[in-house]
Amino acid sequence: MFLDRRSLWPHLRRWEKQAADRDGPFRLRFGTLFVADADAAREVLVDSADAYLSQSGFLRLGPRSLPPAVRREASRELLGVLARHDLPSSFDLGSALGEVSDGRGRLRHHRWGVELARRYFAPVIAHRRHTEINALVDAYVTSSVVADDVVGHVLRRSHRVVPAVRAGLAEQLGRLPAREGAAQDLVDLVLGLPGELSLADRAQLLQRLVLSTVGFTGVALEWVVMLGVQHGYDTPAVRREQIHQLVREALRLYPTAWRLVRVASTDHDVGGVPVREGEHVLIGTHAVHRSPAVWDRPLDFRPSRWERLTDDQRRSYLPFGKGDGMCPASGFAVKALEHLGHLILHGHRGRVRLRTRKPHVRTLLAPPAGWTRLTSTTATAH
């Protein structure tokens, strides 16, 4: 089902409608239990987490998560790495926008946000002295994060780049000396993780952390900028408080991580529905975020709703998950989106052109195909 070559958006919309007509979890046509309300989602992610296999979106090797102690150490070090870099002051937006735009000055959706996030987080991912590693990371971002996780091209052709990149990263990691002191970047982080991890394992973890840092943030940034332009936020008068609300509403209406999947480790019930060991439970973040029972006019883009939320709405907001498998850098990701969103929208006027009005859904929920053109208001003023 998830290997459908087309965008999965029609399926998501159908599941949202089914969820609105049902009281509690229900099974999809292919047997997976679908959860679309906050209480059942919390039951899966927090209250009954022991009834599921340990899960982490990025701190895992294949389908197997790292041991909890190693994951905690990795999460702690990740936050430390992020805190050591003053990204807002070191980032050159004008240069980055020039590099990620096409020959006609357009920012093509499904690509530009990821490529800009790659540049924004470059000091966090790998120090510039790691020339070979940075080149391999660039190849991974282009051939996997963009081509596979965002666009979905990999399903239509043989995909040999990612294994080659992983092998190259493993070779380069093996040439580096043992880490001394605190981790300065993600390369240091994966090299210093405890446990019986091979160089190939550490290379895979580096790839997953790059996807987390660059892929999810980059796609969310495309949503923030596109929606901001469409709704008049592209003005020097835009305030940071407005961008704060804009980012949260974009993540509500179009959560980049549109689903959270867990595998039952024992027989149990979820919302009164029996789940057997080995079965998959899919939490539809998009459906939880669009529930008419929780959100007033849920399909409308209304950043003002964030001025005052109800308790039900707070519980129903899951852009980064909840519980032990929640993204450890969620707070930093939101700050990065707010900083970049304000930087772009405050300093540019925009124009959006779409080839379709439907979002594109693969691993990530991305904006519709098309492009955004930005014109610097500073240049216009002069």
Side-chain angles (χ1 to χ4, degrees):
M1 168 30 223
F2 288 132
L3 295 184
D4 188 328
R5 292 186 177 186
R6 297 165 299 177
S7 170
L8 299 171
W9 182 247
H11 299 293
L12 269 64
R13 293 292 290 128
R14 184 172 67 249
W15 299 339
E16 289 172 19
K17 293 175 183 176
Q18 288 179 266
D21 294 334
R22 301 189 182 222
D23 184 16
F26 59 94
R27 295 197 180 279
L28 302 174
R29 287 185 298 181
F30 47 93
T32 295
L33 187 67
F34 188 80
V35 172
D37 69 88
D39 291 337
R42 179 181 176 83
E43 189 177 344
V44 173
L45 299 174
V46 181
D47 299 337
S48 301
D50 291 342
Y52 297 87
L53 299 179
S54 180
Q55 175 67 39
S56 172
F58 309 101
L59 297 175
R60 72 173 193 264
L61 299 172
R64 177 175 56 87
S65 292
L66 294 178
V70 179
R71 284 166 49 193
R72 286 193 292 271
E73 174 68 12
S75 297
R76 184 187 66 79
E77 292 228 323
L78 174 60
L79 294 176
V81 167
L82 292 168
R84 287 185 181 90
H85 296 273
D86 186 6
L87 299 179
S89 65
S90 62
F91 183 62
D92 184 349
L93 176 65
S95 175
L97 286 175
E99 292 173 358
V100 303
S101 62
D102 66 12
R104 301 171 65 181
R106 299 175 300 186
L107 301 174
R108 291 190 173 276
H109 300 169
H110 306 168
R111 176 176 292 274
W112 79 265
V114 172
E115 293 181 345
L116 189 138
R118 163 69 177 113
R119 288 160 175 77
Y120 185 76
F121 288 108
V124 167
I125 295 170
H127 192 279
R128 65 178 60 186
R129 70 176 179 274
H130 298 314
T131 305
E132 295 84 359
I133 289 178
N134 275 304
L136 289 165
V137 168
D138 288 338
Y140 170 67
V141 169
T142 300
S143 64
S144 181
V145 178
V146 171
D148 186 4
D149 297 298
V150 180
V151 179
H153 279 169
V154 170
L155 299 174
R156 293 192 282 273
R157 56 180 166 78
S158 176
H159 192 18
R160 300 176 181 175
V161 178
V162 172
V165 167
R166 185 172 300 171
L169 287 173
E171 180 182 355
Q172 294 301 321
L173 291 174
R175 295 179 179 180
L176 296 177
R179 191 186 90 194
E180 296 182 4
Q184 301 300 311
D185 54 25
L186 297 186
V187 172
D188 285 349
L189 189 157
V190 299
L191 277 177
L193 286 179
E196 298 298 324
L197 298 172
S198 68
L199 288 172
D201 291 339
R202 296 178 192 274
Q204 182 182 160
L205 290 171
L206 180 58
Q207 287 177 306
R208 293 192 179 280
L209 286 168
V210 169
L211 170 60
S212 174
T213 307
V214 169
F216 283 75
T217 308
V219 171
L221 180 63
E222 288 191 10
W223 278 116
V224 168
V225 172
M226 188 190 81
L227 291 169
V229 169
Q230 290 176 325
H231 294 272
Y233 286 76
D234 53 333
T235 167
V238 69
R239 303 187 308 277
R240 292 188 180 274
E241 296 79 8
Q242 292 175 292
I243 301 298
H244 176 85
Q245 295 175 0
L246 167 62
V247 168
R248 277 154 179 75
E249 182 68 349
L251 289 173
R252 180 197 70 82
L253 198 53
Y254 302 106
T256 309
W258 59 271
R259 85 242 189 252
L260 306 168
V261 180
R262 296 293 185 268
V263 180
S265 60
T266 184
D267 295 352
H268 65 287
D269 288 355
V270 175
V273 179
V275 178
R276 303 304 176 197
E277 179 181 354
E279 286 190 323
H280 288 69
V281 175
L282 189 157
I283 299 171
T285 312
H286 64 97
V288 178
H289 285 188
R290 291 161 167 252
S291 170
V294 177
W295 306 92
D296 180 38
R297 291 159 56 191
L299 301 186
D300 289 356
F301 178 76
R302 294 176 57 203
S304 62
R305 72 174 81 241
W306 293 93
E307 295 173 2
R308 180 176 297 177
L309 293 183
T310 66
D311 290 340
D312 282 347
Q313 289 169 341
R314 291 189 183 90
R315 288 198 306 271
S316 299
Y317 189 58
L318 310 168
F320 301 100
K322 281 190 183 296
D324 188 51
M326 182 176 180
C327 174
S330 57
F332 194 93
V334 170
K335 290 180 180 178
L337 288 170
E338 291 179 355
H339 169 245
L340 288 170
H342 185 265
L343 204 62
I344 293 171
L345 295 170
H346 177 270
H348 300 81
R349 293 289 294 179
R351 187 159 57 99
V352 174
R353 289 292 181 270
L354 302 177
R355 295 204 300 268
T356 175
R357 300 190 67 84
K358 295 180 180 179
H360 183 76
V361 186
R362 297 301 310 173
T363 301
L364 309 178
L365 196 167
W371 50 265
T372 297
R373 189 191 298 276
L374 299 175
T375 302
S376 172
T377 53
T378 303
T380 303
H382 291 291

